[in-house]
Amino acid sequence: QVQVVESGGGLVQTGGSLRLSCEASGSRFTAQVMAWYRQAPGKEREFVAGIYSNGITKYGDSVKDRFTISRDKAQKTVYLQNNSLKPEDTAVYYCKIITPWGDVWGPGTQVTVSS
């Protein structure tokens, strides 16, 4: 069983910085894609950023170049960095891992940006 857990969420002020982490583990764990999604109250879940095993990255339209996704060399941990948070970034952030055996979601971590 693959396990995924996010961390690093919290309360920050507008313009502040935050770095979210997503750690994945499991027997014979192999990640094809590691990605971040977010969902604000009353809103649909949206894609934020993703990174493929070959290093190619992709960002959602809502990001507007304000987020940076990265990973460790073992591809067990994926990060999401934002150095200029806005109130619109307030949401639960979820990590999604795509493996040859299916997709795995983490429980999410709350990010609240005060105005």
Side-chain angles (χ1 to χ4, degrees):
Q1 177 72 16
V2 176
Q3 299 182 75
V4 178
V5 60
E6 305 93 339
S7 63
L11 175 63
V12 298
Q13 297 187 38
T14 298
S17 300
L18 202 64
R19 185 178 187 240
L20 305 181
S21 299
C22 171
E23 297 184 13
S25 62
S27 60
R28 291 292 304 279
F29 173 76
T30 302
Q32 295 179 310
V33 180
M34 305 181 78
W36 286 97
Y37 289 74
R38 68 182 183 183
Q39 186 169 26
K43 304 293 183 179
E44 64 183 29
R45 188 171 298 186
E46 64 178 354
F47 172 77
V48 178
I51 184 168
Y52 287 83
S53 60
N54 59 9
I56 296 177
T57 59
K58 182 181 180 180
Y59 294 91
D61 294 336
S62 63
V63 174
K64 299 180 180 179
D65 298 323
R66 297 186 300 106
F67 288 86
T68 300
I69 188 171
S70 61
R71 66 186 179 188
D72 68 333
K73 294 182 179 180
Q75 300 185 29
K76 297 293 186 179
T77 306
V78 62
Y79 307 95
L80 186 68
Q81 179 76 38
N82 188 314
N83 294 325
S84 59
L85 286 162
K86 299 179 179 180
E88 309 90 83
D89 296 321
T90 296
V92 176
Y93 285 72
Y94 298 92
C95 181
K96 177 185 178 181
I97 307 298
I98 300 178
T99 77
W101 303 277
D103 301 346
V104 182
W105 290 87
T109 183
Q110 176 71 49
V111 173
T112 302
V113 184
S114 63
S115 59

